[in-house]
Structures are given as structure tokens and as C-alpha cells.
Amino acid sequence: MTTDRYNARDAEPRWQKIWKDRGIFRTRNDDPRPKFFVMEMFPYPSGRIHIGHGRNYVMGDVLARTKRMQGFNVLHPMGWDAFGLPAENAAIERGIHPKAWTYENIASMKEQLQLLGLSLDWNREIATCDPSYYVEQQRIFLDFFDKDLAYRKESEVNWDPIDNTVLANEQVIDGRGWRSGAVVERRKLSQWFFRITDFAQDLLDALDTLDRWPDRVRLMQRNWIGRSEGLEVLFELSKAHHREKIPAGTAAVKVYTTRPDTLFGASFLALSPDHPLTTALAAKDEALAAFVVACKKGGTTAEAIETQEKMGYDTGLKVVHPLDASRTVPVYVANFVLMDYGTGAIFGCPAHDQRDLDFARKYGLTVTPVVLPEGADPAAFTVADIAYDGEGTLFNSQFLDGMAVDAAKEAVARQLERFRIGDEPQGKRQVNFRLRDWGISRQRYWGCPIPIIHCETCGPVGVPRDQLPVTLPDDVTFDMPGNPLDRAKAWRNVPCPKCGAPAKRETDTMDTFVDSSWYFLRYASDDASKPLDKDAVRHWLPVDQYIGGIEHAILHLLYSRFFTRALNACGRVDIKEPFAGLFTQGMIVHETYKDKAGRWLFPEEVKLLGTGKAVKIETGEDVVVGPPEKMSKSKRNVVAPEVVADTYGVDCARWFMLADTPPERDSEWTQSGIEGAWRFVQRVWRLVHEGIALGAPADAPRPDSFGADATALRRASHALVATVAEDVERLRFNVAVAHVHEFANAFGQAIAGVRAGEVAPDMAFALREAAEMLVRTVAPMTPHLAEECWAALGHEGLVAEAAWPKVDPALLVQNTITLPIQINGRKRDDIIVPREATSAEIEAAVLALETVQRALDGRPPKRIIVVPQRIVNVVA
Ligand code: ANZ
Ligand code: ZN
């Protein structure tokens, strides 16, 4: 084997096979070492991965490998988020069964992932579509059902009136069904829910304990849970107006408000179209009934409801103002009032709420400001098109005049708590949450079946546990709209487990977010027959480091936190918080390329000419180069891992993904970047071999004393180990890479300073130590290269199993400085020099640097300027 070049194509598969054959990444639960659990969000098996998918796995892998070397029993598992709509779409479009499509994708993606050299325990691999996985999910569902944490209620869905089917939110495009193009309607359907709202306060409070989560994610969760403190206020219906319309037994309308201070600015009440009073009125008012139907057009997404034009219907009824019996306020039905928040009714104060203002302008209602901004003139202050929602002093508000907003809120609450309508206080303080119970019913085939049987006499009955799993029937068709399970007669018709009468299986399947809400608990057991093992969970959880995309900052993480609490309530686990550390990585972006005809081109179809120009290799025609964007199949700006592996080796890809940018930021994949990584990999290879050639043999005794040069190198080696350990611990991979670069320069300088055959024993020892330390430090980042070097150093075992190097603290005391090196005005490198180095010494060292030599290309520099303690400028 030649030593002047590292051959990744030969080395990488060889080491991967050895790791696999020796099973070194298999994790055991009875291992006595301290545990470390690191995992990345598992992938959806959509087809093939591109390098953009790889970044978080590589980051997790570096951490896993480092911790393993540092003596931890590391759990680093992988699985597949395998249920979901795309498999069903493939079935509809290409006639392939969702199961076949999914498992084929898993097989090819697994191969691709393995190509990245990830140190995963594949023995714990799971696929959520596998009955051995979802059987436990069905048990969990029944536990929740028994505890009333799972329940059924009527709820609105997106209904496609042409296909006669329920649509998922992502199947509603601009308010229309994705296949039929029909305007989607809202319909009520009985559906399953998980009672996440029971845990709202705890989910909120515990965010404060998650000190290793990004603040941004905690804030997003806080807003999503949306705790608000307000007042419920009863408005008495005025008998002086349309007494005949008021339904018997209805004396008042209850609203929820967070701004009771603005009560004197109220100019209307609005009811939700689903409010019971609306329903009662609509029964006798055709125009209102038609209005309610019109409100139901459009999807059920929050966005759809938010962006709809505000519409109202005047019922003719009026209510009496709670603080001024001489005033009445009209009652409308309005499309923007949701039935499932607060009380389903509001009072509108147009001067201080934009939505109310728009509504008031549309229907000609009065706008009375009651909060005066500081410094404004009460005689002149008016509200035109923009509501004022800031602080100020109350005016136009009788006994509240002169109070600040908070004081006025309190005064109104006190007053209304004392008043009564019938035997109810007219005001009641109330805490509300935006968080809704989690609707988990999906009218789809490719999901976990809900283990319930509906009986006419017994109602919904849980499938007896000894009859689980309820597996999906294989023989179904996808050639008609609707849920194939509804048509699977043989599967559907079963006797009631309680009374034996003919009954029907539930045909809803679970939201795929359920599948991902407990998979981290499943990973804990190494015994597949105990998929949720309390002891194993106690041992491994919480996950020490979870890594994934910011797009999951809300739902997935919140559902997982809820699930862990609900399982705790059912006695299935002891913990409450699943993830102690969370990291959200940035994406990998790439330029886009388009040919003349406007077709997207793959990067490998394009030759870059520099300065933003490029041509299509096949035809030579000009290519339009677009700015870097998230890698995506549709724009073809993707790079396949196997292509990188074949050309440069995956260690280069790994190095590049870690090197360029802070890990939380997006990183641009470029040809020059990957080439830089390649040069670096080759450089490590050369340095290690030069270190071997010039350094002491492995078993050479440690010299009693070290000279200045040897000590300087030893300091650099030990500093490398110490800083990289810290960088990885903090997930600052780009900084770790920068530290390795710095060290490579120091190592290179030391090598340049000695001559073969004349190396003093202290330097020989230091060179050997440097090579050993470098190899072990880069092992988590470029594991294949490191194994190859490790073998060259003469070690029998694997560096993947070697210990992290021990640092001598005495060598960490700083007496070197790092100088940045500019070549023609741009920063190109760094150099570490002794603090007391002379300008001449620094100059010599700089000229020996590889980056500088490459830039000079054999010529002498035009000029070299050393600014002591600051910077070195080279003019080439
Ligand atoms: C009167 C008022 C005056 C309001 C004002 C705001 C500003 P959060 O903080 O999210 O809880 N609201 C209450 N229930 C609603 C429902 N079911 N559908 C739509 N809107 C509803 O928001 C509470 C505020 O949202 C409440 O305070 C109510 O309008 C509105 F100057 O009451 B407010
Ligand atoms: Zn029955």
C-alpha cells in the first residue's frame, strides 16, 4: 500500500465491514459504564436521501463516537417514521402497495445511510409501520382510553364534496381538494382525541427546566400552549328587543375576554356560527341558517380561518351592557369567532382590537376609544383605521377613568364578581389555553389502526389486549376515493368483544405524530418482546442529546412531551421529560441550475466556470445559476451520498458538513468546499505518516526532559485534544474543525523543522504523540481515515474502540499565540507560534505553510508583513 495518498474508496467499505462484522456499535443495557443516549430525528422513508439529509446524522455520530471513546455506554439508534400519506399517494398514482413502497424505500435508504459510516446500533432499528412496533402503540392507546386520556368527540374535518372523502390539511390546496379541485367544506365527524390539555400547565411550567433546549424552541412551545388570563362576562339578553326570538331558558350570553378594561368601548357581541344560541336562532331564521352554511366553506386549517374575509350577521337581538344598564349592544354571528376557544362568544371593542375595528367599519358600528395613549389629548384622540392596543389611561369609562390598563382590568373583575345574573356571578376570572386536545383520527389506510370496536349497544369497546395487534388488512384497493379500510368488509365486521353482537371495527387510523411520540422509549429496550420496558426507560432516558430540524420545534416535541407524561400517568414510565438536550441543525443548501428550456439540472450535469457562470456539460449551452436553496428533489440541487463517496469518500463529506458553518446555521455545499475537505483528509494522512517516519516507535520510552520545540509541539497536541473535546460537547463542530486545522499547521511546522535520521529523542517522542493524538481526535469526524491511520501507527484494535487521549494539564498553560494569515488581503489560515517568537521566525514558519506555498506556486512572495501579536500579511 502506498503512503503518499489516502485511498478512501478502498478504505471506507473495508472499515465499514469490519465495524459491522465485529458488531462494535451494538449497545447492551447491562453494560456497567455510564450511559449516554444520543439520537437524531428519524427519517421518513420517502425514497432516496441526499447529502442534505445527512448533516444531523453526522453531527449525532460525532457526538456518539466521541462519547464512546470517552468511556460512555452510548446508545445511538435509528429507525423509520414509516406511516403516512406519500405511501398512499404512491399506491394511487403508481398502483404499488403502500407497504411494498415503504419497505423498498427503507431498504435503499438504509444502504445510503450506512454509506455515511454512522456508528448506529442497527439491532434496535424500528419501523413504525411494523406490527411489532405498533402493537405497543395500540396497547398504549388502550391505556389512554381506560384512563380517559383518549376519547371521542365531534369535530370538524376538511370534506371534499366531489370525492366524498376527508382530506388531510396538506391535501387542501388554496381551499380546494388536491385531486378533485372542489371547494373544500367543513364537516362534523366523530373523531378520537388525546387529552393533551390536561397537561397544558405542566407542559408550560416544565419548559423552564429544559435549560439545554434552544430558547427559540421553548418560546415557540410557550406561544403554542398560549396561556391567557382573562374574565368570563355574562351579558344579559335585553327583553326589550325581539323577545319572541330569545330561546326559552336563555337569559344571557357568556363571553371570554382578556381586556375587561375596554368594556365601556364595547359596540357589539359576536357569537360563533357553532354557538348553541346561533343554532337555536338559525332554526327559525333561514337567512341566518344560510349564513352559517356559508361560514363552513373553506378548510379547517387555522390559516384558512384566519385569512377568510370577516363576515357577520345581525341577529336583531341586543344585550344589556354589564356595567351600564342604560346601554344595549347588538348581537351578531361572526365567522371569525371559534366555538372551541373561550366561550365561543366575544364582545367587540373596535377602538382597541384590529379585527373588531375591521368588523365595525364593515357593519357601521360605533368606535369609542377608552384607552388613551400617554400624552394624547382626550378631546382629540380618535381611532380611524388602526386600532390602538397599547398601554394608556382609561377614559370614556365612568368609574374606570384615570386608571391604568391593569388596574382597570382588576376593577372590572372585582365589580362583576359581585354582580349576579340568577345565581351566577356576572364575572368570573378564567385561565384559558390556546392548546387544543390532539385530534389523532385520520381517515386513511397507511397508519396505525385504532384498536376499538363499535357496538350498537356497548358503544366503543377496546380490542382485548390478547387480540392485539389489530393489523392492517393487506388486500385493499386504492382505486376509489375514501378510506380503503371502510371497504374492507371482512376485516371490518367483527363480533363485539363485550356482548358478542355483530359490531364494526374503527376504521380511523392514528395520526403519524403518534408513532413518533414514543419511539425514543422503544429504543431503550434491547429486547423486542418488551417494546416499552419501564426499567430500560429508567436506565436510558431522558435522551441526553436529541438532534433534528427546527420544523419539529412545536408539534413533534410537544406531543412527545405530552406522551411521556400521559404514559407516566398510566404508570408505564417514571420520567416526564423525554429530551434533556435538544439541538436544531441548519440545512444544507446548494445553488440551483436551469437550462435554456427552463429545466432544472443536477449539479453533475453542469460545469462551473467560476464567477457565477456555468454550462451544461452535454450541450455546452449556458446555464442559469440560481442562489443557494434548501436541497430538494424537485429543484434537482441535490448531491447523492454515493456520488460523493465514489469521488472523494464519505469522510470528506462528513468533514465538509461539520467544517464550514456553525451547525445551527444553513451551510452551502460547494465543489470548492468538498475539494478543500479532500485536501485536508490527504493532509492528515501525510502528517500522520511523516510523524510515523520521523517519530519514535510506539514502544519508545518517554524522554526525561523535553526541549523548547518538542514542548511546543506537545502543547499543541494536548491543546488539540482538550479543545476538541469541549467543542464537541457543546456541538460546536465548526470550531472543532478549526482547531484541527490549527493543529495541523503546528504539526506541519514541527515536521518541517526536523531532518530524517537526526531527530532528537524528545522531538521523536513528541512527533509520535502528535500523530497518535491527531488520529484519535479526528476519529469521530473522519472515522475511516482514522482507522487507516490507526492501523498504520501499528495498533491492533480499532480506533473506534480506543480511549479518548489523556491530556496533561501542565501542557495546557498558554504560552503560544494564534496569528491569522492573510494572503492578498483575504484570511486563508492560522498559525500557532510561541509568544516570544521573532518576526523572522514567524516569517519562516509562515512561508513553510502549505496554504502559503500553494498560493505562491514556487515564486517568492512580493512582500510579507508581520504585525507582531496581531496578523501576518502575505502579498503573493
Ligand atoms: C374583548 C377585547 C377587547 C379583546 C380588546 C381583545 C382586545 P387570547 O389572548 O388569545 O386569549 N376571543 C375570545 N374568545 C374568542 C373566540 N372563541 N374566537 C375568537 N376570538 C376570541 O385572546 C383573547 C381575546 O380574543 C379576547 O379578548 C377576545 O377578544 C378574543 F380591545 O375581548 B377580547
Ligand atoms: Zn356489545
Side-chain angles (χ1 to χ4, degrees), residues 36 38-40 52-66 76 116 118-119 545-548 583-588 654 656-667 728-729 731-734 780-781:
F36 190 85
V38 49
M39 60 183 274
E40 305 87 40
H53 294 118
R55 196 175 182 204
N56 62 333
Y57 304 122
V58 169
M59 289 180 191
D61 195 52
V62 173
L63 187 61
R65 286 177 179 271
T66 306
H76 186 212
L116 292 174
L118 305 174
S119 64
Q545 188 63 58
Y546 194 28
I547 304 177
F583 185 79
T584 52
Q585 88 283 354
M587 290 178 303
I588 293 193
R654 292 173 62 114
F656 177 81
M657 283 192 244
L658 299 166
D660 212 32
T661 327
E664 66 280 6
R665 289 229 295 266
D666 290 352
S667 155
V728 171
E729 181 81 38
L731 308 176
R732 293 188 314 194
F733 302 107
N734 61 318
M781 299 187 262

Side-chain angles (χ1 to χ4, degrees), residues 228 256-259 262 338 341 346-347 352-353 355 434:
S228 92
Y256 174 69
T257 178
T258 47
R259 295 293 306 273
T262 65
L338 311 169
Y341 188 68
I346 63 157
F347 80 77
H352 302 293
D353 183 278
R355 200 175 50 185
R434 282 241 149 244

Side-chain angles (χ1 to χ4, degrees), residues 318-528:
K318 290 195 192 304
V319 286
V320 182
H321 194 283
L323 295 171
D324 181 351
S326 70
R327 287 173 56 184
T328 58
V329 174
V331 179
Y332 280 75
V333 175
N335 64 341
F336 61 82
V337 184
L338 311 169
M339 192 54 219
D340 70 347
Y341 188 68
T343 60
I346 63 157
F347 80 77
C349 175
H352 302 293
D353 183 278
Q354 191 60 43
R355 200 175 50 185
D356 295 348
L357 182 60
D358 297 344
F359 191 81
R361 293 289 180 227
K362 185 164 175 184
Y363 295 102
L365 301 162
T366 50
V367 179
T368 311
V370 291
V371 178
L372 187 67
E374 204 188 306
D377 172 8
F381 182 70
T382 53
V383 168
D385 320 318
I386 298 184
Y388 177 70
D389 60 5
E391 291 292 318
T393 311
L394 272 287
F395 73 132
N396 296 332
S397 294
Q398 302 185 10
F399 71 101
L400 302 175
D401 284 356
M403 290 185 192
V405 165
D406 280 345
K409 282 183 183 171
E410 182 59 31
V412 171
R414 287 240 182 100
Q415 182 80 296
L416 292 180
E417 275 168 341
R418 278 202 302 270
F419 292 172
R420 299 193 159 261
I421 291 184
D423 50 9
E424 246 193 292
Q426 199 163 2
K428 206 177 118 225
R429 292 173 212 254
Q430 175 68 34
V431 170
N432 274 333
F433 291 90
R434 282 241 149 244
L435 185 66
R436 298 280 75 112
D437 275 342
W438 174 13
I440 60 146
S441 277
R442 296 293 178 272
Q443 291 71 31
R444 318 237 71 91
Y445 168 76
W446 194 232
C448 173
I450 293 176
I452 290 286
I453 292 166
H454 294 283
C455 167
E456 259 173 40
T457 30
C458 311
V461 181
V463 173
R465 283 174 168 74
D466 59 9
Q467 290 170 28
L468 298 180
V470 177
T471 51
L472 288 169
D474 280 332
D475 114 43
V476 282
T477 52
F478 296 89
D479 50 358
M480 275 179 264
N483 182 354
L485 292 177
D486 285 338
R487 304 190 294 265
K489 295 253 155 47
W491 179 83
R492 219 186 148 183
N493 294 322
V494 283
C496 166
K498 253 191 199 156
C499 71
K504 281 187 165 38
R505 276 193 199 287
E506 173 64 66
T507 58
D508 288 352
T509 53
M510 295 185 211
D511 179 5
T512 56
F513 273 116
V514 180
D515 312 339
S516 52
S517 289
W518 68 282
Y519 76 115
F520 40 90
L521 305 172
R522 170 68 187 78
Y523 283 147
S525 42
D526 58 0
D527 175 358

Side-chain angles (χ1 to χ4, degrees), residues 850-860 876:
E850 204 181 287
T851 20
V852 174
Q853 288 189 347
R854 199 160 1 98
L856 292 175
D857 204 13
R859 287 158 296 164

Side-chain angles (χ1 to χ4, degrees), residues 83 99 103 123-140 448-449 468-472 518 522-523 525 527-532:
F83 274 135
K99 189 191 213 168
Y103 279 98
N123 277 290
R124 299 187 193 220
E125 177 183 4
I126 49 145
T128 55
C129 65
D130 204 296
S132 68
Y133 181 82
Y134 69 66
V135 63
E136 190 65 25
Q137 194 161 308
Q138 292 175 340
R139 284 183 207 123
I140 293 171
C448 173
L468 298 180
V470 177
T471 51
L472 288 169
W518 68 282
R522 170 68 187 78
Y523 283 147
S525 42
D527 175 358
S529 69
K530 284 202 245 162
L532 182 56

Side-chain angles (χ1 to χ4, degrees), residues 248-285:
T250 312
V253 179
K254 190 184 276 178
V255 308
Y256 174 69
T257 178
T258 47
R259 295 293 306 273
D261 55 305
T262 65
L263 207 49
F264 284 103
S267 60
F268 66 94
L269 230 69
L271 308 173
S272 162
D274 297 310
H275 196 282
L277 179 54
T278 308
T279 312
L281 293 171
K284 294 188 184 147
D285 181 344

